[in-house]
mmCIF file of all heavy atoms in Angstrom:
data_model
loop_
_atom_site.group_PDB
_atom_site.id
_atom_site.type_symbol
_atom_site.label_atom_id
_atom_site.label_comp_id
_atom_site.label_asym_id
_atom_site.label_seq_id
_atom_site.Cartn_x
_atom_site.Cartn_y
_atom_site.Cartn_z
ATOM 1 N N ASP A 22 76.645 -68.069 43.362
ATOM 2 C CA ASP A 22 76.222 -68.256 41.973
ATOM 3 C C ASP A 22 74.854 -67.630 41.785
ATOM 4 O O ASP A 22 73.860 -68.120 42.321
ATOM 5 C CB ASP A 22 76.184 -69.749 41.611
ATOM 6 C CG ASP A 22 75.649 -69.980 40.198
ATOM 7 O OD1 ASP A 22 75.711 -69.045 39.378
ATOM 8 O OD2 ASP A 22 75.158 -71.084 39.926
ATOM 9 N N SER A 79 79.333 -65.059 41.229
ATOM 10 C CA SER A 79 79.661 -65.683 39.944
ATOM 11 C C SER A 79 78.350 -65.961 39.204
ATOM 12 O O SER A 79 77.260 -65.911 39.786
ATOM 13 C CB SER A 79 80.434 -66.996 40.154
ATOM 14 O OG SER A 79 79.610 -67.967 40.793
ATOM 15 N N ILE A 80 78.481 -66.255 37.935
ATOM 16 C CA ILE A 80 77.326 -66.638 37.128
ATOM 17 C C ILE A 80 77.718 -67.890 36.364
ATOM 18 O O ILE A 80 78.523 -67.841 35.434
ATOM 19 C CB ILE A 80 76.904 -65.516 36.164
ATOM 20 C CG1 ILE A 80 76.573 -64.232 36.909
ATOM 21 C CG2 ILE A 80 75.717 -65.968 35.329
ATOM 22 C CD1 ILE A 80 76.292 -63.055 36.028
ATOM 23 N N SER A 81 77.183 -69.029 36.790
ATOM 24 C CA SER A 81 77.536 -70.295 36.141
ATOM 25 C C SER A 81 77.108 -70.259 34.695
ATOM 26 O O SER A 81 75.940 -70.022 34.393
ATOM 27 C CB SER A 81 76.863 -71.470 36.878
ATOM 28 O OG SER A 81 75.450 -71.309 36.900
ATOM 29 N N ALA A 82 78.033 -70.486 33.810
ATOM 30 C CA ALA A 82 77.749 -70.422 32.365
ATOM 31 C C ALA A 82 78.443 -71.571 31.666
ATOM 32 O O ALA A 82 79.669 -71.597 31.578
ATOM 33 C CB ALA A 82 78.216 -69.077 31.795
ATOM 34 N N PRO A 83 77.693 -72.543 31.187
ATOM 35 C CA PRO A 83 78.325 -73.689 30.509
ATOM 36 C C PRO A 83 79.010 -73.262 29.223
ATOM 37 O O PRO A 83 78.544 -72.332 28.533
ATOM 38 C CB PRO A 83 77.162 -74.632 30.233
ATOM 39 C CG PRO A 83 75.952 -73.750 30.202
ATOM 40 C CD PRO A 83 76.224 -72.646 31.178
ATOM 41 N N LYS A 84 80.114 -73.914 28.909
ATOM 42 C CA LYS A 84 80.842 -73.641 27.681
ATOM 43 C C LYS A 84 80.480 -74.700 26.639
ATOM 44 O O LYS A 84 80.357 -75.883 26.959
ATOM 45 C CB LYS A 84 82.354 -73.679 27.931
ATOM 46 C CG LYS A 84 82.858 -72.687 28.965
ATOM 47 C CD LYS A 84 84.348 -72.849 29.181
ATOM 48 C CE LYS A 84 84.853 -71.883 30.241
ATOM 49 N NZ LYS A 84 84.307 -72.184 31.583
ATOM 50 N N LEU A 101 77.931 -79.538 26.566
ATOM 51 C CA LEU A 101 78.247 -78.371 27.374
ATOM 52 C C LEU A 101 79.163 -78.758 28.529
ATOM 53 O O LEU A 101 78.878 -79.727 29.243
ATOM 54 C CB LEU A 101 76.970 -77.736 27.919
ATOM 55 C CG LEU A 101 75.952 -77.269 26.867
ATOM 56 C CD1 LEU A 101 74.706 -76.703 27.570
ATOM 57 C CD2 LEU A 101 76.572 -76.226 25.940
ATOM 58 N N GLU A 102 80.210 -77.977 28.707
ATOM 59 C CA GLU A 102 81.143 -78.219 29.800
ATOM 60 C C GLU A 102 80.834 -77.285 30.959
ATOM 61 O O GLU A 102 80.706 -76.061 30.790
ATOM 62 C CB GLU A 102 82.579 -78.014 29.324
ATOM 63 C CG GLU A 102 83.609 -78.347 30.393
ATOM 64 C CD GLU A 102 85.033 -78.267 29.888
ATOM 65 O OE1 GLU A 102 85.239 -78.104 28.668
ATOM 66 O OE2 GLU A 102 85.951 -78.376 30.718
ATOM 67 N N LEU A 103 80.718 -77.847 32.158
ATOM 68 C CA LEU A 103 80.402 -77.079 33.348
ATOM 69 C C LEU A 103 81.694 -76.598 34.027
ATOM 70 O O LEU A 103 82.805 -76.928 33.613
ATOM 71 C CB LEU A 103 79.582 -77.942 34.314
ATOM 72 C CG LEU A 103 78.320 -78.576 33.696
ATOM 73 C CD1 LEU A 103 77.672 -79.526 34.686
ATOM 74 C CD2 LEU A 103 77.350 -77.489 33.255
ATOM 75 N N ASP A 104 81.512 -75.801 35.089
ATOM 76 C CA ASP A 104 82.677 -75.210 35.738
ATOM 77 C C ASP A 104 83.656 -76.242 36.308
ATOM 78 O O ASP A 104 84.860 -75.988 36.415
ATOM 79 C CB ASP A 104 82.226 -74.263 36.853
ATOM 80 C CG ASP A 104 81.557 -73.003 36.331
ATOM 81 O OD1 ASP A 104 81.714 -72.727 35.125
ATOM 82 O OD2 ASP A 104 80.885 -72.298 37.116
ATOM 83 N N ASP A 105 83.142 -77.430 36.680
ATOM 84 C CA ASP A 105 84.024 -78.471 37.225
ATOM 85 C C ASP A 105 84.502 -79.450 36.142
ATOM 86 O O ASP A 105 85.007 -80.522 36.450
ATOM 87 C CB ASP A 105 83.332 -79.235 38.357
ATOM 88 C CG ASP A 105 82.085 -79.995 37.889
ATOM 89 O OD1 ASP A 105 81.691 -79.852 36.709
ATOM 90 O OD2 ASP A 105 81.499 -80.730 38.705
ATOM 91 N N HIS A 106 84.303 -79.056 34.872
ATOM 92 C CA HIS A 106 84.757 -79.805 33.701
ATOM 93 C C HIS A 106 83.928 -81.054 33.411
ATOM 94 O O HIS A 106 84.274 -81.830 32.503
ATOM 95 C CB HIS A 106 86.241 -80.166 33.813
ATOM 96 C CG HIS A 106 87.124 -78.985 34.051
ATOM 97 N ND1 HIS A 106 87.217 -77.941 33.160
ATOM 98 C CD2 HIS A 106 87.925 -78.675 35.114
ATOM 99 C CE1 HIS A 106 88.037 -77.026 33.639
ATOM 100 N NE2 HIS A 106 88.478 -77.446 34.821
ATOM 101 N N GLN A 107 82.852 -81.280 34.156
ATOM 102 C CA GLN A 107 81.897 -82.313 33.785
ATOM 103 C C GLN A 107 81.111 -81.824 32.569
ATOM 104 O O GLN A 107 81.007 -80.628 32.323
ATOM 105 C CB GLN A 107 80.942 -82.617 34.936
ATOM 106 C CG GLN A 107 81.603 -83.284 36.123
ATOM 107 C CD GLN A 107 82.097 -84.685 35.815
ATOM 108 O OE1 GLN A 107 81.594 -85.359 34.909
ATOM 109 N NE2 GLN A 107 83.074 -85.154 36.597
ATOM 110 N N CYS A 108 80.559 -82.766 31.811
ATOM 111 C CA CYS A 108 79.828 -82.413 30.606
ATOM 112 C C CYS A 108 78.397 -82.957 30.638
ATOM 113 O O CYS A 108 78.135 -84.025 31.180
ATOM 114 C CB CYS A 108 80.534 -82.946 29.361
ATOM 115 S SG CYS A 108 82.013 -82.027 28.916
ATOM 116 N N ARG A 151 76.708 -86.516 39.425
ATOM 117 C CA ARG A 151 76.182 -85.564 40.404
ATOM 118 C C ARG A 151 74.932 -84.893 39.865
ATOM 119 O O ARG A 151 74.634 -84.953 38.658
ATOM 120 C CB ARG A 151 77.217 -84.493 40.753
ATOM 121 C CG ARG A 151 77.582 -83.515 39.627
ATOM 122 C CD ARG A 151 78.434 -82.382 40.167
ATOM 123 N NE ARG A 151 78.879 -81.446 39.133
ATOM 124 C CZ ARG A 151 78.174 -80.389 38.711
ATOM 125 N NH1 ARG A 151 76.967 -80.177 39.197
ATOM 126 N NH2 ARG A 151 78.682 -79.577 37.792
ATOM 127 N N THR A 154 72.927 -77.961 39.582
ATOM 128 C CA THR A 154 72.295 -76.893 40.321
ATOM 129 C C THR A 154 71.173 -76.297 39.457
ATOM 130 O O THR A 154 71.140 -76.497 38.243
ATOM 131 C CB THR A 154 73.299 -75.791 40.685
ATOM 132 O OG1 THR A 154 73.736 -75.141 39.462
ATOM 133 C CG2 THR A 154 74.514 -76.357 41.411
ATOM 134 N N GLU A 157 72.773 -74.316 36.744
ATOM 135 C CA GLU A 157 73.283 -75.092 35.618
ATOM 136 C C GLU A 157 72.157 -75.595 34.733
ATOM 137 O O GLU A 157 72.341 -75.748 33.511
ATOM 138 C CB GLU A 157 74.099 -76.271 36.154
ATOM 139 C CG GLU A 157 75.428 -75.838 36.784
ATOM 140 C CD GLU A 157 76.132 -76.972 37.530
ATOM 141 O OE1 GLU A 157 75.430 -77.880 38.043
ATOM 142 O OE2 GLU A 157 77.362 -76.921 37.631
#
Side-chain angles (χ1 to χ4, degrees):
D22 175 22
S79 66
I80 302 174
S81 58
K84 301 178 181 66
L101 301 178
E102 185 175 352
L103 307 173
D104 290 345
D105 63 355
H106 305 299
Q107 292 293 337
C108 285
R151 68 171 177 87
T154 67
E157 290 170 332

